Amino acid sequence: MLTEEHLLIRQSIRDFVKKEISPNIEKWAQDAHFPSEIVRKFGDVGAFGPTIPQEYGGGGLDYISYGLIMQEIERGDSGMRSTASVQGSLVMFPIYAYGSEEQRKKYLPKLASGEWLGCFGLTEPDHGSNPGGMTTNIKDMGDHYLLNGAKLWISNSPECQVAVVWAKNEQGRIKGVIVERGMEGFSTPEIHNKWSLRASCTGELVFEDVKIPKENILPNVDGLKGPLSCLDSARFGIAWGAIGAAIDCYESALKYSLQREQFGRPIGAFQLQQKKLAEMLTEITKAQLMAWRLGVLKNEGKATSAQISMAKRNSVDMALHVAREARQIHGGMGITGEYSIMRHMMNLESVITYEGTHDIHLLITGADITGIQAFK
């Protein structure tokens, strides 16, 4: 189903991950270290904003290409994929879709090249699944706005040069605001002691009377549809990315099952291990077919938010199940850093919650089926 261009893109990112991420990721995760040098490398390989037009520094590629890039990066690590998908789907996408031409020219080339790292400010300490309840706000001061509030669980925030932040104006309407590093009153404290996404940097965004120039407001969007459309783009990437984590766990389990001997033969010769491997591959294949079909619909401009929710939820749930089965095939060795299994499993515990929790995505499908929103 993939074109020659798709296969070439997949192979180039796979080679990049094998060279730049796989040899180092276990140490980065053990040390809770975000390798800031990877940002420029992601830019060089075209992992940032691959669907953004080339005139703004993007790749001008289709959505199946974007999905394959996310899949291959997450084969390496979910935290690394988070870095790339936040940059492309949550920072570059809204600036391209809702920004002025001046904003596009100012920010997109620097973000595409990795010169700048961006983050996305929606979730707040008291408002996660209910983003419409946000209290972060902007006030019109005549020649500028004043931004106040805080955002929590923000990937890339401690290292970011620019943040796309969602805040309510005095009329209660949600607006997109571009905040730059160095603006007075803007700080990005890091969150420590994570057991998940340890090679990704996560933090807060804190705004205390931050002066925002009027030209830093995204002019072409109003209301909650702005951030939610960004999340649709990012969730599409997760639907592909989580499959990559599952593939890595499956391939590790298959290899181990053919090498590890018990009772005089490889454990892969036993029926229960073959059952695990066969079911893993079946579920991965089903998720790939769903993601591919969703990519076709996205290319045609037909993919709905409910379809994206279904795919995101299915892929991550599947990947967690595959990781747990793979851990069992590895036995005690499966908990060590010599294999990627436990790292993927811990990462996926975040992926199943962020950008729409497992339960919320189920209820989005339920609302699509019945026409009744159970979460309001």
Side-chain angles (χ1 to χ4, degrees):
M1 293 180 181
L2 302 179
T3 66
E4 287 298 319
E5 184 183 31
H6 291 150
L7 294 171
L8 187 64
I9 289 165
R10 185 179 69 178
Q11 191 61 50
S12 68
I13 300 298
R14 188 173 293 180
D15 292 343
F16 170 83
V17 169
K18 283 181 179 177
K19 179 184 176 186
E20 301 290 349
I21 295 175
S22 298
N24 306 304
I25 189 61
E26 299 302 340
K27 180 165 175 38
W28 292 340
Q30 289 280 0
D31 295 345
H33 168 69
F34 173 68
S36 54
E37 67 277 6
I38 202 73
V39 177
R40 279 282 197 174
K41 292 176 181 179
F42 273 144
D44 291 342
V45 81
F48 290 150
T51 62
I52 299 291
Q54 291 179 330
E55 64 185 289
Y56 301 110
L61 302 173
D62 73 347
Y63 279 95
I64 291 175
S65 298
Y66 172 63
L68 289 167
I69 291 168
M70 295 302 107
Q71 174 185 286
E72 293 306 313
I73 295 175
E74 195 148 355
R75 280 180 74 167
D77 185 73
S78 301
M80 293 290 98
R81 197 266 310 143
S82 294
T83 301
S85 64
V86 166
Q87 185 91 330
S89 291
L90 299 181
V91 183
M92 296 176 70
F93 169 76
I95 292 173
Y96 172 68
Y98 305 126
S100 66
E101 189 62 19
E102 291 74 23
Q103 289 169 342
R104 292 173 184 170
K105 288 178 178 176
K106 178 178 179 180
Y107 296 106
L108 292 178
K110 287 184 169 64
L111 291 163
S113 69
E115 180 182 344
W116 282 2
L117 184 65
C119 69
F120 175 86
L122 180 63
T123 298
E124 296 188 359
D126 296 321
H127 299 93
S129 295
N130 176 27
M134 71 172 66
T135 57
T136 297
N137 62 90
I138 52 171
K139 290 185 179 178
D140 193 337
M141 306 301 290
D143 62 343
H144 65 275
Y145 289 96
L146 271 189
L147 174 64
N148 281 283
K151 304 291 183 178
L152 188 62
W153 299 116
I154 310 301
S155 294
N156 298 356
S157 81
E159 301 275 339
C160 77
Q161 281 75 46
V162 62
V164 173
V165 177
W166 302 92
K168 284 183 178 175
N169 64 14
E170 289 152 297
Q171 290 74 46
R173 299 297 295 172
I174 293 172
K175 306 297 288 186
V177 182
I178 301 174
V179 186
E180 297 179 39
R181 174 76 66 186
M183 287 182 172
E184 191 175 346
F186 173 44
S187 59
T188 57
E190 187 169 1
I191 294 171
H192 298 284
N193 299 322
K194 297 181 298 177
W195 285 107
S196 181
L197 299 179
R198 288 173 60 83
S200 170
C201 63
T202 313
E204 303 173 55
L205 299 173
V206 180
F207 316 106
E208 300 177 64
D209 287 335
V210 181
K211 285 185 178 181
I212 304 294
K214 293 214 163 177
E215 60 266 25
N216 280 38
I217 304 295
L218 295 177
N220 300 319
V221 69
D222 183 67
L224 203 52
K225 70 175 183 180
L228 293 184
S229 68
C230 301
L231 290 174
D232 273 351
S233 180
R235 290 164 178 170
F236 172 80
I238 294 170
W240 284 83
I243 295 169
I247 290 170
D248 191 59
C249 291
Y250 163 77
E251 289 182 340
S252 181
L254 174 60
K255 184 178 179 181
Y256 190 84
S257 75
L258 297 174
Q259 294 173 342
R260 173 69 168 169
E261 291 194 2
Q262 292 288 282
F263 306 104
R265 56 182 176 157
I267 62 172
F270 293 100
Q271 289 182 5
L272 284 177
Q273 305 311 312
Q274 290 191 6
K275 177 180 184 291
K276 287 185 175 71
L277 291 166
E279 289 178 342
M280 291 160 128
L281 187 61
T282 301
E283 293 306 313
I284 289 169
T285 302
K286 286 157 65 177
Q288 284 182 310
L289 285 167
M290 181 184 268
W292 175 84
R293 177 59 185 157
L294 190 63
V296 172
L297 291 172
K298 198 103 168 74
N299 285 339
E300 295 173 351
K302 295 178 182 176
T304 68
S305 295
Q307 289 168 338
I308 293 168
S309 279
M310 182 186 284
K312 187 267 187 185
R313 182 180 184 275
N314 179 73
S315 290
V316 185
D317 186 57
M318 176 277 297
L320 258 175
H321 182 71
V322 167
R324 287 168 179 152
E325 292 289 270
R327 210 291 303 152
Q328 289 205 58
I329 290 175
H330 285 77
M333 292 305 294
I335 71 162
T336 70
E338 290 184 45
Y339 298 91
S340 61
I341 312 300
M342 282 295 286
R343 177 173 51 78
H344 281 306
M345 199 187 303
M346 290 191 297
N347 285 341
L348 288 164
E349 289 293 344
S350 288
V351 181
I352 205 167
T353 292
Y354 73 21
E355 297 188 31
T357 69
H358 186 66
D359 293 343
I360 286 290
H361 282 300
L362 188 74
L363 295 180
I364 289 171
T365 301
D368 193 49
I369 293 166
T370 65
I372 305 167
Q373 290 194 340
F375 49 83
K376 279 190 179 179

